[in-house]
Amino acid sequence: PEVVTQVAAQVIGNDAAITIGGMNGHFELNVYVPLIARNLLQSIGLLSSGPALAGDENGNFMIRLQGTAVITQDKLKSLNSSALGDLKALGFDAEVSNEIIPTATLTYFFNRNWAVELFCCFSKHSIDLNPPAAFAGLTGEVANAWIFPPIVTLQYHFTGMGPLKPYVGAGVQYIHFFRESTGANPLGASGVSMSDAFGPALQAGVDISLGNGWYLNADVKKSWLDTKVTWQNTVAGTVVAKDRLDPMT
């Protein structure tokens, strides 16, 4: 178990390093390519030795590497300007982008049925403003930011179904926003800030055993979170948006 824990920690750390290296690259020139390549190859090497390290299907730990669609399902609750008042009442709307990203999870099993899972990744999202026709010049990307959105869930795994091992879970998600930018900046803002978010999360999924401790996995999570975005010194003064993110991953 100690060896598996160390492998899990290293793979999740490598995933974070690869993401940060990618987000710091500029256009075709990315000076972080050596870092990305080294960490990717190390993760492949560690995981390829998985059957020797973690081949016991009754082990305490499970590591998953996944491709995950982050679907925000956001709803703009309010949008106010110090100069123009209620922009939502004037017909303004905004939406947060959806993304597909690499993710990693680490699950610890207390017994065959009960487990706790940590979901980890980094993702970059943008906010697009959709104004009414009279303000068409304000259309476009008004903000973007990187997010760190870990989810912790307590899971119940069903047994007695052969290779199929469905599960459900409940827990919480925290989203930290960083490297905020005004993007294309049709608002002419001097800066933008986003408040961190915290809320409940639900989960359902299934593991399909391939033997020797290896699995295929399908998983969906749903969270409910609110955030506040503030643009300073725009053409409409200070603009504040309150948004319900409610992401599905």
Side-chain angles (χ1 to χ4, degrees):
E2 292 81 5
V3 174
V4 177
T5 304
Q6 293 174 35
V7 170
Q10 186 63 62
V11 170
I12 292 174
N14 287 349
D15 179 70
I18 290 169
T19 303
I20 293 172
M23 83 182 186
N24 281 285
H26 300 283
F27 303 104
E28 291 82 4
L29 177 62
N30 188 336
V31 296
Y32 289 81
V33 166
L35 178 146
I36 294 171
R38 177 192 177 279
N39 284 276
L40 178 60
L41 291 173
Q42 185 184 47
S43 290
I44 292 172
L46 287 170
L47 293 173
S48 66
S49 61
L53 294 174
D56 181 3
E57 294 197 6
N58 297 311
N60 296 109
F61 289 92
M62 175 182 286
I63 306 166
R64 298 187 186 93
L65 296 181
Q66 303 165 317
T68 301
V70 181
I71 303 171
T72 56
Q73 298 188 324
D74 64 305
K75 181 179 180 181
L76 184 65
K77 297 172 63 178
S78 65
L79 183 64
N80 294 287
S81 158
S82 60
L84 300 177
D86 188 348
L87 296 180
K88 190 176 180 183
L90 295 176
F92 284 78
D93 199 2
E95 59 183 2
V96 180
S97 66
N98 301 320
E99 302 293 339
I100 298 177
I101 59 171
T103 58
T105 66
L106 175 63
T107 305
Y108 175 76
F109 285 82
F110 300 107
N111 53 45
R112 290 175 61 85
N113 298 109
W114 290 99
V116 61
E117 178 189 272
L118 171 63
F119 168 91
C120 182
C121 66
F122 291 89
S123 178
K124 186 177 183 181
H125 294 263
S126 61
I127 300 175
D128 289 332
L129 185 66
N130 301 313
F135 297 91
L138 299 180
T139 302
E141 183 189 35
V142 291
N144 61 63
W146 282 90
I147 67 170
F148 173 59
I151 303 174
V152 177
T153 53
L154 178 65
Q155 301 174 329
Y156 183 82
H157 291 251
F158 299 90
T159 56
M161 301 182 188
L164 298 179
K165 300 184 178 182
Y167 58 88
V168 293
V172 293
Q173 179 173 32
Y174 168 74
I175 296 182
H176 172 63
F177 298 88
F178 62 101
R179 293 187 62 140
E180 298 102 320
S181 169
T182 52
N185 202 18
L187 289 175
S190 62
V192 61
S193 61
M194 303 179 186
S195 65
D196 291 351
F198 181 84
L202 294 177
Q203 173 187 37
V206 60
D207 291 311
I208 304 173
S209 177
L210 302 178
N212 296 321
W214 293 93
Y215 293 86
L216 288 178
N217 173 261
D219 182 277
V220 62
K221 299 179 181 69
K222 174 68 176 177
S223 303
W224 291 266
L225 310 101
D226 292 342
T227 188
K228 182 172 74 173
V229 185
T230 304
W231 290 266
Q232 299 88 23
N233 304 314
T234 76
V235 293
T238 299
V239 176
V240 178
K242 294 183 179 179
D243 191 64
R244 192 161 186 82
L245 293 175
D246 294 354
M248 178 176 288
T249 56

